[in-house]
Amino acid sequence: MTEHDSEIARAYEPGKIEQRWYDFWLGQGYFTGTIDANRQPFVIVMPLPNVTGDLHLGHALFVTLQDIMTRWHRMMGEPTLWLPGTDHAGIATQVVVERQLASKGKTKEEIGREEFTRVTWEWAEKNRADIRRQLQMMGASCDWTRDRFTLDEGPSKAVRTAFVRLYNKGLIYRGERMTNWCPRCRTALSDLEVEHKDIVGHLYYMRYPLADGDGSVTVATTRPETFLGDTAVAVNPGDERYKNLVGASVTLPIVHRKVPIIADDAVDATFGTGALKVTPAHDPTDAEVARRHNLPLVNVMNPDATMNENAGPYRGMDRFACREQILADLRDEGLLEGTEPYSHSAGHCDRCQTMIEPKMSLQWFVRTEPLARAAIQAVEDGRITIIPQRFAKVYFGWMEGIRDWCISRQLWWGHRIPVWYCQDCTEVTVSIGEPIACVHCDSQRISQDPDVLDTWFSSALWPHSALGWPDDTDDVRYFYPSSVMETGYDILFFWVARMIMMGLENTGEIPFHTVYLHGLIRDRSGEKMSRSKLRANAMNPAEPINEYGVDALRFALSVGSTPGNDMSLGRDKLESGRNFVNKLWNATRFIIRSVDVERPDTQLVLPLTAPPQHIEDRWIYSQLNRLVDNVNRLMQDFHFAEAEQAIYDFVWSEFCDWYIEMAKIRVRSQTSPSPLPILFHVLEASLRLLHPFMPFVTEELWQRLVATEHGRVAACSPLAANCDTPPASVMITPYPRADHQAFDPGAERVVDSLIEIVHSIRNVRAQYSVRSDRWVEARVYTGELLSSLVMESDTIENLARARPLTMLSRGERHSAGDDDLVLVLRDAEVVLPFTDMTDRTAERQRLEQESEEIRARIAQTTVRLGDQAFLSKAPARVVEKERQKVAALEDRLNRIRQELSRLGS
């Protein structure tokens, strides 16, 4: 425990305490996961932040949710491990580093692979340190002794081992397939790395002359530059327009190459002219047609999307410049029949936003169908639960239609593919370690495949590789499988599905029991926050933290968030979080000062040694235990936002707004029994309840509470061996457990009625603008609660500013006077003489002035509604809005007349 000033500050200043408490927790080793063979651990493996720069609010959301879970389970007495790490993020990191080189007028090719790798490692290590600092700033109670990086030696060994095992089982193969090719990154992409955007382009109608006679066939295309790679024209076999042309040939314009006209069921006779140009090297559908008809493949583009030697006169041109030149040449030759606007979806690289090219290329693939079967079964049989449940259907749909996974990338940053090619016998050597010779012919003339693996390949191994797999470590045996995988729903397929497939394949066990999918934090335009897009839109968490504090940010991110639903973050949520922190701070300040100043002789012991006796104390104690019961149930069911909202409502309303205000009356009057022991007990339990959500302010206030001067607090935590040795931190105290014997419906009914009475009187005072220093007369009539409410009359009188206050049975009630206000409540009726509510003359003057203003507004709006020019030109909704305005004003005017009638002359 650290030293504190004797006087708690008037205002909470988060910047002064957050780093101090995090360093304290870290120094005490509270975050380090320990192995206890007698207990089941709670384990979360952190979704890996990419080393591409500062974190954003999306990361702050997962940090908040995972820290809530981890701290709660730790306080529940379970061995906990939250394992942190960072991802090398192959393509994303390479794009960022290449941009940095470009800003200096350099390229990666100019500096070479070895130097580029060195520069990237240097940059990645700096960013890893920054990411760790940011995670710690947000309160992440990770086990930093187990921090991992996907390119560390341990995970690297796991990657090579997994590759070799899959290859030896025939589940990894190399083949030429149609891939998504990014000309900017010059690498293949998986389908999941392609972002499809709707674009407005054109449909171009091109004439192909018949090779053996007059006439031509017109084809429609959005990509005329690819016609140079056409190897056929296809029509639907049922299309009567082309029936006689099947088997004939056309001559491609400009390059004058003959290609056949074929019939294939894949052709949509209603699209364009019904004749399809077949370009199998540049379109996945065309590739399938070519396979069925044994057509050749002609690639006309270089890796950077410039035209290659097969493009004839267009060689060396950029693909889009080539398009414009081809259109001009076709127009000159009279072979461009027409152009029309056409909207369609085009794939773009998710990292650099360059439009991708479908391209046949030689790549490495994982045969996923056998792996997917086991992964589907794990969710179907309940071994893995997906929250929210609706995403299970999405998961099944994707897994059942899964395609082989392209895992090779033409990059320099990442895990090199563990394959070596022999220059003598042309065979391949696939090895976990680096071989010195070909395993087939013993030749030493071998070279490693230059490509690297898809980042998601190493990420898919993370739940077991981070614990030491493939070695048989203590951590793997105890902490695997993990408890929860908490991540965004947008990477359900990128990452979660692949972790399930690879976890089952490599270990024979599921990687985690529960998948919790949070929503995305969107910017003002609805875009997902990202650091690596060309127009980065990510907000650094440091910005709101510097203004509002960590706890306020965590509150804003977690309250109101539900699994699988997107959210935005505005100042209103942040201010609400800060206001709650201040409310808690001020409540603690009052309680501590009350002990130090008002009742210096009070002896306080936590927890309570005897049940409370005063009805107000019984009420708040019952409410507290109901809250604890509800919060633990909600936490167990992963309803974190609801749990925090419940704590917020209790602390703000029941505890601060009502119980503390009631207690102040008793403290001032020194009524016995003192409410201070209950104030201390409820506050201490509330701080423990809140700790997983708002760790910094709760630690600061809890420490001050148990360190109150004069020895009046013996902080007997249930974890403490005795009252003289409280735990050193709130984070290692036990999370509150409900005492069902403390539920007190009787006390709840009485105090709830008291609150309703006070609330109703306050509402009337506000309605008639009664000054706060003015007392009003009140008569309260009730039934069976009379004796209990009479005991609370002093409280009602002070909180409602009601004097004289008369408490009577319903049988003693007489008819209310004409000027009386009668408030009918659940267990009581409150009668307030109207004469106490207002100065009749001043109120009449105010209402008459308001009446005149409203009549003027009604007249003005009525004139407007009678204007035919307005009625004919204004939209119907605007006219209706004006009519509704008149109706509302007339209703208000009628109520004012009633008030004036009540006031009399």
Side-chain angles (χ1 to χ4, degrees):
M1 198 180 303
T2 60
E3 295 295 325
H4 290 82
D5 297 332
S6 59
E7 174 69 19
I8 184 170
R10 292 184 62 87
Y12 176 54
E13 297 180 68
K16 290 185 176 180
I17 65 106
E18 289 170 350
Q19 188 62 53
R20 169 163 55 85
W21 282 123
Y22 195 90
D23 291 343
F24 171 74
W25 297 329
L26 202 58
Q28 294 294 311
Y30 293 152
F31 303 160
T32 304
T34 57
I35 295 175
D36 182 345
N38 296 318
R39 290 188 293 172
Q40 185 74 24
F42 176 80
V43 183
I44 292 184
V45 177
M46 178 183 288
L48 302 167
N50 292 344
V51 288
T52 46
D54 290 336
L55 303 184
H56 56 66
L57 289 178
H59 297 96
L61 175 59
F62 89 63
V63 168
T64 298
L65 292 172
Q66 292 174 34
D67 198 46
I68 287 170
M69 290 186 242
T70 302
R71 287 178 184 269
W72 181 65
H73 282 277
R74 186 183 291 121
M75 293 178 75
M76 294 296 285
E78 301 170 29
T80 59
L81 172 63
W82 183 13
L83 200 153
T86 41
D87 198 310
H88 66 281
I91 190 170
T93 298
Q94 182 155 320
V95 166
V96 175
V97 175
E98 284 188 58
R99 284 187 193 137
Q100 292 182 346
L101 289 174
S103 69
K104 300 174 184 177
K106 298 179 181 180
T107 68
K108 73 178 192 299
E109 289 77 15
E110 289 173 350
I111 66 173
R113 183 167 190 158
E114 184 176 344
E115 176 63 11
F116 179 82
T117 302
R118 186 196 67 77
V119 168
T120 309
W121 261 107
E122 187 177 90
W123 184 80
E125 287 299 329
K126 174 185 176 299
N127 280 353
R128 283 188 69 201
D130 289 343
I131 288 169
R132 175 189 282 215
R133 175 185 54 79
Q134 290 175 87
L135 291 169
Q136 293 181 349
M137 175 180 64
M138 290 183 281
S141 58
C142 305
D143 184 350
W144 296 108
T145 67
R146 290 179 167 91
D147 188 19
R148 299 289 184 270
F149 182 47
T150 48
L151 287 180
D152 285 346
E153 178 49 40
S156 294
K157 178 183 177 183
V159 166
R160 296 191 301 272
T161 301
F163 185 99
V164 172
R165 289 184 181 182
L166 289 169
Y167 177 83
N168 290 337
K169 293 177 70 172
L171 294 175
I172 282 183
Y173 65 93
R174 193 183 192 212
E176 191 170 35
R177 299 285 187 277
M178 183 64 64
T179 58
N180 304 297
W181 185 266
C182 176
R184 157 62 184 77
C185 301
R186 300 188 194 181
T187 182
L189 306 173
S190 73
D191 291 342
L192 295 175
E193 294 168 302
V194 176
E195 181 180 338
H196 290 276
K197 297 180 180 180
D198 290 330
I199 63 172
V200 178
H202 292 86
L203 200 57
Y204 304 97
Y205 292 86
M206 305 163 54
R207 277 201 201 98
Y208 289 2
L210 290 169
D212 299 323
D214 296 333
S216 62
V217 174
T218 301
V219 299
T221 182
T222 59
R223 301 162 67 214
E225 66 276 11
T226 63
F227 97 94
L228 300 165
D230 287 1
T231 56
V233 170
V235 298
N236 191 285
D239 194 335
E240 295 294 332
R241 294 172 294 175
Y242 301 108
K243 196 168 187 179
N244 295 332
L245 292 178
V246 175
S249 298
V250 295
T251 301
L252 297 180
I254 304 171
V255 293
H256 308 297
R257 177 160 51 83
K258 288 184 180 181
V259 299
I261 300 173
I262 62 174
D264 194 279
D265 289 328
V267 178
D268 180 1
T270 65
F271 175 77
T273 64
L276 173 76
K277 60 185 286 299
V278 181
T279 319
H282 296 279
D283 185 276
T285 302
D286 294 3
E288 290 301 311
V289 173
R291 182 181 59 79
R292 289 193 290 272
H293 295 270
N294 199 28
L295 298 174
L297 278 63
V298 179
N299 174 29
V300 297
M301 288 188 194
N302 294 312
D304 62 354
T306 58
M307 310 308 289
N308 66 17
E309 66 279 2
N310 293 326
Y314 307 103
R315 181 177 183 176
M317 295 181 70
D318 173 77
R319 55 179 166 167
F320 298 122
C322 175
R323 175 182 299 180
E324 296 306 315
Q325 186 60 55
I326 285 174
L327 292 172
D329 292 345
L330 289 172
R331 196 175 290 111
D332 291 345
E333 293 188 15
L335 297 176
L336 184 61
E337 187 171 293
T339 302
E340 64 182 38
Y342 182 69
S343 297
H344 62 104
S345 179
H348 292 70
C349 174
D350 183 58
R351 295 301 177 182
C352 72
Q353 300 301 299
T354 301
M355 188 179 293
I356 63 104
E357 282 291 338
K359 183 178 184 292
M360 293 294 291
S361 60
L362 189 62
Q363 303 289 343
W364 288 94
F365 295 85
V366 172
R367 208 179 306 276
T368 51
E369 193 274 333
L371 303 178
R373 283 200 304 267
I376 290 171
Q377 183 64 39
V379 176
E380 283 182 338
D381 63 21
R383 282 176 290 156
I384 296 176
T385 300
I386 297 178
I387 300 172
Q389 197 274 334
R390 69 178 186 272
F391 279 96
K393 183 177 180 181
V394 181
Y395 170 86
F396 291 135
W398 187 77
M399 294 293 276
E400 287 164 0
I402 196 169
R403 302 199 313 180
D404 284 358
W405 174 15
C406 176
I407 57 170
S408 48
R409 298 290 182 270
Q410 289 64 55
L411 303 171
W412 287 357
W413 175 247
H415 294 277
R416 284 283 291 272
I417 291 177
V419 173
W420 286 259
Y421 303 101
C422 181
Q423 299 175 36
D424 291 329
C425 72
T426 71
E427 294 287 344
V428 299
T429 298
V430 181
S431 173
I432 296 173
E434 185 169 356
I436 59 174
C438 172
V439 296
H440 302 282
C441 71
D442 212 29
S443 169
Q444 295 187 5
R445 289 174 11 105
I446 57 174
S447 58
Q448 189 173 2
D449 192 307
D451 292 350
V452 300
L453 287 163
D454 177 11
T455 297
W456 295 103
F457 187 89
S458 55
S459 300
L461 313 180
W462 195 243
H464 49 284
S465 68
L467 294 170
W469 184 91
D471 296 335
D472 183 23
T473 66
D474 291 341
D475 278 4
V476 170
R477 287 194 298 271
Y478 185 67
F479 293 116
Y480 187 87
S482 62
S483 309
V484 179
M485 171 46 59
E486 192 285 329
T487 189
Y489 68 75
D490 58 322
I491 54 176
L492 176 60
F493 311 133
F494 269 122
W495 193 36
V496 177
R498 289 167 173 170
M499 283 189 287
I500 296 173
M501 288 192 291
M502 298 301 282
L504 288 165
E505 172 64 24
N506 290 336
T507 71
E509 294 185 71
I510 56 172
F512 30 73
H513 297 285
T514 301
V515 177
Y516 182 98
L517 300 172
H518 66 247
L520 307 180
I521 297 184
R522 303 277 181 182
D523 64 14
R524 291 179 180 176
S525 63
E527 290 287 323
K528 172 190 173 184
M529 287 193 174
S530 172
R531 297 167 300 172
S532 56
K533 291 187 175 181
L534 290 178
R535 295 180 181 177
N537 60 354
M539 179 190 291
N540 190 318
E543 296 175 36
I545 286 173
N546 290 336
E547 185 172 357
Y548 298 97
V550 174
D551 291 321
L553 174 61
R554 289 169 62 123
F555 176 90
L557 289 170
S558 53
V559 164
S561 68
T562 53
N565 293 325
D566 295 349
M567 64 178 291
S568 59
L569 185 68
R571 295 183 68 87
D572 56 336
K573 289 184 178 179
L574 291 163
E575 288 169 358
S576 179
R578 181 174 60 188
N579 292 342
F580 184 43
V581 170
N582 289 337
K583 188 88 165 179
L584 196 64
W585 184 269
N586 290 332
T588 306
R589 188 168 182 268
F590 161 75
I591 293 170
I592 291 176
R593 285 173 59 86
S594 295
V595 175
D596 290 343
V597 178
E598 302 293 341
R599 300 294 298 271
D601 59 333
T602 301
Q603 295 294 318
L604 302 173
V605 177
L606 298 178
L608 297 175
T609 56
Q613 300 301 312
H614 194 285
I615 198 162
E616 295 167 7
D617 300 343
R618 288 162 48 203
W619 169 75
I620 196 66
Y621 190 57
S622 177
Q623 295 289 86
L624 172 67
N625 279 279
R626 289 192 189 277
L627 170 71
V628 170
D629 190 50
N630 186 36
V631 166
N632 278 305
R633 177 181 56 79
L634 291 169
M635 295 290 283
Q636 193 70 46
D637 292 339
F638 296 90
H639 297 311
F640 309 118
E642 292 181 48
E644 188 171 12
Q645 185 68 53
I647 301 170
Y648 170 88
D649 292 341
F650 171 82
V651 171
W652 189 288
S653 181
E654 281 94 333
F655 186 53
C656 292
D657 285 355
W658 290 107
Y659 182 72
I660 287 181
E661 294 307 307
M662 296 175 193
K664 285 179 181 178
I665 300 169
R666 294 160 60 196
V667 168
R668 284 194 297 265
S669 64
Q670 298 192 3
T671 301
S672 182
S674 169
L676 290 175
I678 299 296
L679 283 167
F680 259 69
H681 174 81
V682 175
L683 176 60
E684 194 271 345
S686 298
L687 292 173
R688 283 188 284 135
L689 282 170
L690 265 176
H691 180 73
F693 304 93
M694 308 175 89
F696 292 105
V697 70
T698 53
E699 183 71 84
E700 176 73 12
L701 295 179
W702 187 87
Q703 294 283 355
R704 288 184 178 275
L705 199 64
V706 300
T708 302
E709 291 181 354
H710 312 305
R712 283 185 299 279
V713 176
C716 293
S717 163
L719 281 187
N722 57 68
C723 290
D724 298 321
T725 57
S729 166
V730 67
M731 75 175 293
I732 58 169
T733 62
Y735 205 70
R737 304 273 187 159
D739 176 5
H740 293 83
Q741 299 300 314
F743 293 174
D744 194 333
E748 289 171 352
R749 184 181 176 194
V750 171
V751 177
D752 286 349
S753 182
L754 178 157
I755 290 171
E756 190 179 25
I757 292 167
V758 172
H759 200 269
S760 67
I761 297 173
R762 285 177 173 178
N763 285 345
V764 172
R765 292 177 65 104
Q767 179 183 348
Y768 290 98
S769 303
V770 178
R771 296 195 317 270
S772 60
D773 62 347
R774 181 175 175 177
W775 294 85
V776 299
E777 180 184 351
R779 299 192 301 274
V780 178
Y781 299 95
T782 186
E784 59 188 274
L785 298 185
L786 179 61
S787 60
S788 297
L789 288 173
V790 167
M791 298 291 290
E792 294 298 305
S793 58
D794 189 48
T795 299
I796 296 172
E797 182 178 284
N798 280 275
L799 294 182
R801 302 289 290 170
R803 183 184 297 164
L805 173 67
T806 307
M807 310 284 289
L808 301 166
S809 69
R810 286 195 175 105
E812 299 176 84
R813 180 180 170 185
H814 304 290
S815 298
D818 292 339
D819 285 344
D820 286 345
L821 296 173
V822 179
L823 311 175
V824 180
L825 311 179
R826 185 181 58 189
D827 283 313
E829 293 82 46
V830 177
V831 178
L832 303 173
F834 186 73
T835 53
D836 279 9
M837 290 297 109
T838 183
D839 180 327
R840 284 174 177 264
T841 302
E843 181 66 5
R844 169 173 279 282
Q845 290 174 351
R846 185 187 70 79
L847 290 174
E848 286 176 344
Q849 181 180 348
E850 184 179 354
S851 177
E852 290 177 10
E853 293 172 355
I854 290 175
R855 280 196 294 268
R857 290 173 63 190
I858 289 174
Q860 181 183 20
T861 308
T862 302
V863 169
R864 191 178 190 193
L865 287 170
D867 184 351
Q868 291 302 315
F870 168 72
L871 294 175
S872 62
K873 293 179 181 179
R877 59 181 175 79
V878 173
V879 175
E880 179 59 28
K881 188 174 182 180
E882 291 296 298
R883 288 176 176 150
Q884 291 174 0
K885 184 191 299 183
V886 170
L889 289 169
E890 289 177 340
D891 176 68
R892 174 63 180 154
L893 184 60
N894 184 53
R895 286 187 282 118
I896 289 176
R897 287 172 181 151
Q898 293 175 6
E899 290 297 321
L900 286 169
S901 176
R902 176 190 292 273
L903 287 170
S905 58

